[in-house]
Amino acid sequence: MDNFIDVILPIPLQKLFTYKITEAEVSFLKRGMRVAVEFGKSKIYTALVYKIHQIPPVGYDAKEIYQILDEIPVVNNMQITHWEWISNYYMCSLGEVYRAALPSAFLLESETEVQLVLGFTNEEVLSDEEFLIFEALQHQSQLSIQQIIEILGKKSVFPIIKSLLDKNAIVVKEQIYEQYRPKLEKYIRLADAWSAAEKLSELLDSLSRAKKQRELILTYFQLQASKKPIKQSKLQEDSNSSSAVLKSLIDKGVFEVYFIQQDRINFDGKSGKIKELTPHQEEAFLAIKDNFKTKQTILLKGITSSGKTEIYVKLIKQVIEDGKQVLYLLPEIALTAQLIDRLQLYFGEYLSVFHSKYSMNERVEVWNNVLENKPKAQLILGARSSIFLPFSNLGLIIVDEEHEPSFKQYDPAPRYHARDASIVLANQHQAKVILGSATPSIETYYNAQHGKYGLVELNRRFGNVLLPEIELVDVKEKHRKKRMKGHFSDRLLELITESLDNKEQVILFQNRRGYAPVVECETCGVSPQCPNCDVSLTYHNFRKELRCHYCGHHQAMPHNCGACGSEKLNTKGFGTEQIEIELMELFPSAKVGRMDFDTTRGKYSYQKIIGQFQSQEIDILVGTQMLSKGLDFANVSLVGIMNADNMLNFPDFRAHERSYQLMVQVSGRAGRASKRGKVAIQTYNPHHQILQQVSTNAFEEMYKEQLDERWQYHYPPFYRIIKITLRHKDFNRVEEGAVWLGKSLISIFKHDILGPSIPGISKIRNYYIRTIIIKIPQKQSLKVSKNQIQRVKNAFQSINQFRAIKFNIDVDNY
């Protein structure tokens, strides 16, 4: 009987594809190995073995696989089970999960190579462009598509390649390229011929005239006493010799060069002694241990600066001592920079870090270390993508700042939530989960209140420091009394001056980057718009340019209005860049730093800014929401929120909850060491109930209010939400498709449909957008509802005119 494998392809296909394998390949292949297969128009893909069987496919002939790429599986069974859950729950294909999960280096790409047919001489039949390719192939054996594009100076070369194929002048081959390159360090050892003791004096005598070579050999013997392999760079440095001296000894056969594979990132430090917990922390730690006897997931609700990390450290130590792995999830890469320094002191030899700022090769090395369960990958610190690592023995998952929206993946699919996916992952491993936050999300707190999760509270700050004193500054009143300087009220300036005089630091929060979100003509009121999106362009003063934050389009700042020609252009609103410039004018002697997406593009830029602020090289740090997430600075005495209103007035059912969380978290950066901190919140509406709740730290009150509203208007945690987004470049087609889809869904779900509606930003990257929101009550089966949506989607995509419309489903889109 023939043998077959089902494979997962890294493309959005709803089914698995079957390929034929030989008897020899059956004995070698295992689930989770990668194979190169041909799919579609001679394109080679890196597929993952899902299942080996003897059932031939229906409807097509199974092709043979191209080659086997692994000796051992790179993905384990538990991972594939987890992927299947993500694929089913978030309504995406297994291929999309596979592409998101594996570092791109594992997804080998194929390169089309063109070769000349031996014996082809019929040059007369070739056109001028075909002759150019023919001539180039006389000089080199093969050409890539990119080389042909460069030779011809045009992008559309495939018709010419097809013509050459038809004339039997060339053959086309697919070459597969491995992207991962292991890092190899050069080491030096003495050749066997000279390793005997009696040979050494003979060697030194023979080099009596070559002083430098003799010195290098004597240095080698000194280093050899440590009984460790000797690096070439170390040997040259210690002997103060050039590479030419070493090369001559290698050429004489005295030394041999060999290579040892090294990881690109290593953390120093031995497992140091863990700090003693305070009585309140100890009480919380024991309560967590007690809760773990009956509950798999526990919410640790600890106020800002209560020392949640120290509790995590003690739990991590116990899990690592039991020989199990720990996953520590963080919402923002900025947080890893500070936490690495802290965890390195306790778990240096067990620690690995995994996030998107690391290079492709570095991520592959972490993946391999976790796969092999190496000691240096027992504690993984990472952003949301870390849940895809090949854990085999997971004991604990910590989701720090669990309320953060950064844990949600929006585009591309899979649109998963790392917090929810990690709870399922822990369940598969029989591991425990801790969700930590000072301001938990409404859904998590609701689950804890109703017994689904355990709940442990920690309501004392470390060192019994009081929570910061929060002051609401009425900007409307300050404008009326002319007490504003730029975007600063006199009260905020007074507090900043006081902090700087006391040699303390200040954090200012403005959740908008750039200089100003709108540039407007004072004569005709027109503002420059993005040509690809339905948004105005943001002015960035540093480069004197207008930039779109959705598609990246940018243009130089115009000197006059594009509509009426007037030179009176004015900016409206303000971002972090404008605050930074104003601060430099108001406080010329203070050092001002800025931390937003624009200043943290580099790999180590987070560490650099945080390091400078920690060592007090920066006095005032201006930033966006990345400042609010668990950073710990001892010398910050004042936090200023520049504008609380744009968060509160955002058109989203979570706007009030998110605003509360963000403001409490930013406030929590103040007064973390000994002295009570201060927070100034500038607002046009100081009587808003959320601002009042922030100022009194009334989480319970906010929770009850939000819960009543959610119940009344059918939102989570009482209803599940599935959002469907349609995107197409043709306005009429997407409009027709949305109307058809809306009618089909209303016939199934009746009243629990919002839309089809036009979102706030109705066009992004030249795609017009329409959205439909489906609300599913708790008593209704989620699985049945998803099947109905899938059937409607299949019907939608079977209609010719709608087939080209991009159809995205986002389950739990909040």
Side-chain angles (χ1 to χ4, degrees):
M1 261 183 105
D2 289 334
N3 294 297
F4 300 93
I5 53 166
D6 289 343
V7 299
I8 305 169
L9 287 157
I11 47 179
L13 295 169
Q14 288 304 325
K15 59 177 185 174
L16 302 171
F17 266 76
T18 305
Y19 287 82
K20 202 174 183 178
I21 51 172
T22 64
E23 205 65 51
E25 287 167 340
V26 170
S27 58
F28 187 77
L29 277 171
K30 290 186 181 69
R31 192 183 199 211
M33 278 185 175
R34 294 172 306 150
V35 289
V37 297
E38 193 180 306
F39 183 79
K41 293 179 182 175
S42 308
K43 178 85 171 146
I44 305 288
Y45 285 100
T46 307
L48 196 78
V49 177
Y50 180 80
K51 187 176 163 189
I52 302 168
H53 58 87
Q54 294 182 323
I55 305 158
V58 177
Y60 61 94
D61 291 331
K63 293 179 184 177
E64 291 190 354
I65 64 171
Y66 197 79
Q67 72 186 80
I68 298 170
L69 300 171
D70 295 313
E71 290 178 16
I72 56 161
V74 294
V75 171
N76 61 40
N77 282 328
M78 280 201 168
Q79 272 177 292
I80 296 175
T81 310
H82 191 227
W83 292 1
E84 286 175 318
W85 177 84
I86 289 174
S87 164
N88 291 329
Y89 186 81
Y90 291 105
M91 297 182 75
C92 60
S93 67
L94 257 178
E96 287 169 315
V97 185
Y98 165 45
R99 181 171 271 285
L102 257 72
S104 56
F106 282 135
L107 300 168
L108 310 185
E109 295 296 333
S110 68
E111 173 81 37
T112 304
E113 299 280 6
V114 171
Q115 294 176 343
L116 198 63
V117 171
L118 288 173
F120 178 83
T121 52
N122 193 7
E123 296 171 23
E124 300 80 43
V125 298
L126 302 179
S127 69
D128 291 349
E129 287 177 328
E130 288 166 1
F131 185 76
L132 279 174
I133 297 171
F134 172 77
E135 198 174 33
L137 285 167
Q138 304 282 351
H139 299 289
Q140 65 187 84
S141 59
Q142 58 188 35
L143 293 172
S144 69
I145 297 294
Q146 191 55 43
Q147 286 170 316
I148 292 171
I149 288 169
E150 285 165 14
I151 290 165
L152 300 179
K154 60 193 283 188
K155 284 188 177 177
S156 53
V157 296
F158 287 102
I160 300 159
I161 291 169
K162 189 178 183 304
S163 172
L164 283 166
L165 282 167
D166 294 341
K167 290 169 184 173
N168 207 23
I170 59 165
V171 287
V172 170
K173 290 194 171 176
E174 292 284 332
Q175 291 287 100
I176 291 181
Y177 292 97
E178 175 74 76
Q179 294 182 55
Y180 169 62
R181 296 272 182 277
K183 183 185 177 187
L184 299 172
E185 286 276 10
K186 256 187 194 179
Y187 284 80
I188 299 293
R189 63 182 167 217
L190 202 61
D192 291 343
W194 300 99
S195 56
E198 62 274 6
K199 285 275 187 182
L200 296 180
S201 54
E202 185 189 321
L203 172 61
L204 292 170
D205 290 344
S206 69
L207 296 171
S208 56
R209 290 187 171 190
K211 190 182 165 197
K212 281 280 185 191
Q213 292 180 16
R214 190 185 162 94
E215 268 177 31
L216 197 138
I217 287 172
L218 290 169
T219 307
Y220 174 84
F221 290 132
Q222 285 170 353
L223 290 171
Q224 203 182 26
S226 67
K227 303 253 187 312
K228 286 182 181 173
I230 297 164
K231 266 190 194 180
Q232 178 180 321
S233 55
K234 173 83 174 152
L235 179 58
Q236 280 179 228
E237 190 186 320
D238 286 18
S239 62
N240 201 16
S241 304
S242 67
S243 52
V245 176
L246 182 60
K247 188 178 181 302
S248 59
L249 284 168
I250 292 165
D251 292 343
K252 285 177 183 174
V254 176
F255 283 134
E256 291 174 349
V257 176
Y258 66 105
F259 294 91
I260 295 179
Q261 188 176 330
Q262 297 278 342
D263 280 350
R264 285 171 168 81
I265 291 179
N266 292 292
F267 292 106
D268 308 324
K270 294 279 174 277
S271 294
K273 193 172 185 307
I274 284 169
K275 285 182 190 173
E276 286 290 314
L277 298 182
T278 65
H280 297 289
Q281 288 173 335
E282 187 65 38
E283 196 182 310
F285 172 76
L286 295 171
I288 289 169
K289 296 293 288 177
D290 194 46
N291 266 289
F292 272 153
K293 292 172 188 169
T294 53
K295 296 273 194 295
Q296 182 217 349
T297 305
I298 288 171
L299 169 63
L300 173 59
K301 182 180 175 290
I303 59 170
T304 55
S305 190
S306 56
K308 294 186 285 294
T309 310
E310 300 308 326
I311 296 173
Y312 300 154
V313 164
K314 196 163 179 184
L315 287 162
I316 290 166
K317 188 171 190 293
Q318 291 189 354
V319 174
I320 288 177
E321 281 171 357
D322 292 343
K324 293 194 168 182
Q325 296 164 313
V326 179
L327 172 59
Y328 195 137
L329 283 175
L330 293 163
E332 194 74 59
I333 297 166
L335 267 178
T336 60
Q338 208 177 25
L339 204 56
I340 288 167
D341 296 339
R342 289 171 76 175
L343 293 180
Q344 214 173 317
L345 300 172
Y346 310 128
F347 309 110
E349 56 203 312
Y350 300 115
L351 178 65
S352 287
V353 178
F354 189 85
H355 57 64
S356 59
K357 278 277 193 282
Y358 275 11
S359 73
M360 182 178 67
N361 288 327
E362 287 162 354
R363 280 183 281 174
V364 169
E365 283 164 6
V366 174
W367 181 286
N368 289 335
N369 289 339
V370 175
L371 185 69
E372 293 160 29
N373 202 3
K374 285 189 177 172
K376 68 177 297 182
Q378 294 303 295
L379 169 58
I380 301 294
L381 183 67
R384 62 174 180 253
S385 55
S386 318
I387 62 163
F388 292 119
L389 285 166
F391 297 103
S392 52
N393 190 18
L394 203 52
L396 176 67
I397 299 178
I398 296 165
V399 185
D400 201 12
E401 310 297 347
E402 66 80 28
H403 62 277
E404 275 296 334
S406 315
F407 281 126
K408 171 74 177 168
Q409 160 85 4
Y410 289 102
D411 269 315
R415 296 173 178 84
Y416 65 97
H417 197 298
R419 177 194 63 212
D420 302 342
S422 65
I423 290 171
V424 174
L425 179 66
N427 198 22
Q428 287 173 356
H429 283 267
Q430 257 80 60
K432 303 294 183 191
V433 182
I434 289 190
L435 308 175
S437 177
T439 52
S441 65
I442 301 283
E443 296 77 34
T444 302
Y445 198 59
Y446 178 83
N447 284 334
Q449 292 284 359
H450 287 76
K452 189 175 177 183
Y453 303 159
L455 175 62
V456 175
E457 298 201 35
L458 185 57
N459 294 323
R460 284 287 181 92
R461 277 188 141 193
F462 185 78
N464 286 334
V465 179
L466 289 171
L467 279 166
E469 179 190 334
I470 297 174
E471 191 176 322
L472 300 173
V473 180
D474 188 344
V475 181
K476 188 168 64 180
E477 192 65 17
K478 296 288 181 190
H479 272 297
R480 194 176 66 80
K481 292 180 178 174
K482 301 203 168 23
R483 289 185 183 169
M484 294 291 289
K485 267 193 187 172
H487 295 97
F488 291 85
S489 61
D490 58 346
R491 179 64 183 141
L492 182 55
L493 289 174
E494 195 183 303
L495 291 168
I496 294 172
T497 309
E498 191 186 310
S499 293
L500 294 176
D501 289 347
N502 293 335
K503 300 285 183 283
E504 290 161 347
Q505 291 168 293
V506 178
I507 286 178
L508 294 177
F509 171 78
Q510 168 62 2
N511 208 9
R512 180 172 271 154
R513 65 189 173 99
Y515 184 86
V518 178
V519 174
E520 188 178 78
C521 170
E522 287 182 13
T523 309
C524 69
V526 168
S527 57
Q529 301 290 308
C530 173
N532 311 317
C533 310
D534 180 25
V535 288
S536 57
L537 294 168
T538 302
Y539 175 50
H540 286 251
N541 187 63
F542 173 64
R543 289 198 171 142
K544 297 282 185 283
E545 67 178 13
L546 297 173
R547 183 174 278 276
C548 173
H549 289 177
Y550 288 87
C551 70
H553 167 83
H554 54 94
Q555 62 192 56
M557 174 71 177
H559 294 295
N560 47 20
C561 173
C564 71
S566 166
E567 291 184 6
K568 290 182 178 176
L569 296 178
N570 197 6
T571 59
K572 290 273 194 294
F574 62 101
T576 48
E577 209 178 4
Q578 193 167 341
I579 297 301
E580 182 187 26
I581 291 165
E582 285 185 13
L583 281 167
M584 287 171 176
E585 290 168 4
L586 291 164
F587 301 99
S589 58
K591 291 189 178 68
V592 181
R594 176 160 59 93
M595 187 170 167
D596 55 25
F597 184 73
D598 298 320
T599 60
T600 55
R601 288 176 194 265
K603 183 174 175 180
Y604 296 111
S605 46
Y606 287 108
Q607 273 107 314
K608 193 177 169 192
I609 295 168
I610 288 167
Q612 284 175 331
F613 196 60
Q614 218 153 11
S615 58
Q616 297 178 29
E617 289 171 37
I618 294 173
D619 300 315
I620 306 173
L621 183 61
V622 184
T624 55
Q625 60 185 8
M626 55 179 75
L627 279 180
S628 68
K629 300 171 186 181
L631 295 168
D632 187 8
F633 303 112
N635 196 39
V636 173
S637 65
L638 172 68
V639 166
I641 295 173
M642 299 303 298
N643 178 6
D645 304 313
N646 60 357
M647 295 184 278
L648 289 166
N649 300 327
F650 196 72
D652 177 23
F653 78 93
R654 300 193 73 156
H656 286 185
E657 178 197 350
R658 290 256 164 91
S659 302
Y660 178 89
Q661 289 165 344
L662 208 46
M663 284 189 263
V664 169
Q665 290 288 344
V666 176
S667 305
R669 302 313 108 213
R672 294 175 72 93
S674 51
K675 185 180 160 189
R676 188 181 188 189
K678 285 184 179 171
V679 178
I681 301 176
Q682 296 194 152
T683 172
Y684 281 90
N685 184 8
H687 304 295
H688 194 291
Q689 88 259 26
I690 288 290
L691 295 174
Q692 293 296 325
Q693 286 156 1
V694 168
S695 65
T696 56
N697 223 44
F699 177 81
E700 289 285 339
E701 188 187 316
M702 184 277 297
Y703 167 73
K704 288 192 177 96
E705 264 182 31
Q706 291 303 308
L707 214 55
D708 289 345
E709 284 185 16
R710 304 273 179 98
W711 171 253
Q712 194 178 343
Y713 298 111
H714 296 187
Y715 280 103
F718 306 107
Y719 279 67
R720 281 272 168 69
I721 286 185
I722 296 177
K723 182 181 180 183
I724 295 174
T725 308
L726 300 180
R727 291 179 16 245
H728 196 271
K729 290 187 176 180
D730 183 336
F731 177 86
N732 293 327
R733 191 178 294 192
V734 80
E735 186 66 38
E736 285 168 26
V739 170
W740 184 95
L741 185 65
K743 284 177 181 171
S744 305
L745 291 169
I746 285 168
S747 67
I748 299 167
F749 295 100
K750 305 296 182 256
H751 306 297
D752 290 321
I753 296 276
L754 288 180
S757 56
I758 301 170
I761 296 161
S762 62
K763 187 176 83 164
I764 295 176
R765 296 176 191 270
N766 286 318
Y767 280 91
Y768 293 96
I769 304 167
R770 294 292 177 272
T771 59
I772 295 174
I773 286 174
I774 303 163
K775 297 177 180 178
I776 300 163
Q778 280 176 331
K779 59 182 183 290
Q780 193 173 312
S781 164
L782 187 63
K783 192 178 178 185
V784 170
S785 302
K786 284 179 183 172
N787 289 339
Q788 289 169 325
I789 293 167
Q790 191 61 53
R791 277 202 297 276
V792 171
K793 181 185 177 183
N794 294 342
F796 179 86
Q797 291 178 330
S798 66
I799 299 168
N800 238 346
Q801 74 210 68
F802 300 154
R803 197 167 292 151
I805 296 175
K806 294 192 176 184
F807 192 116
N808 291 340
I809 300 175
D810 192 352
V811 180
D812 300 343
N813 71 301
Y814 43 88

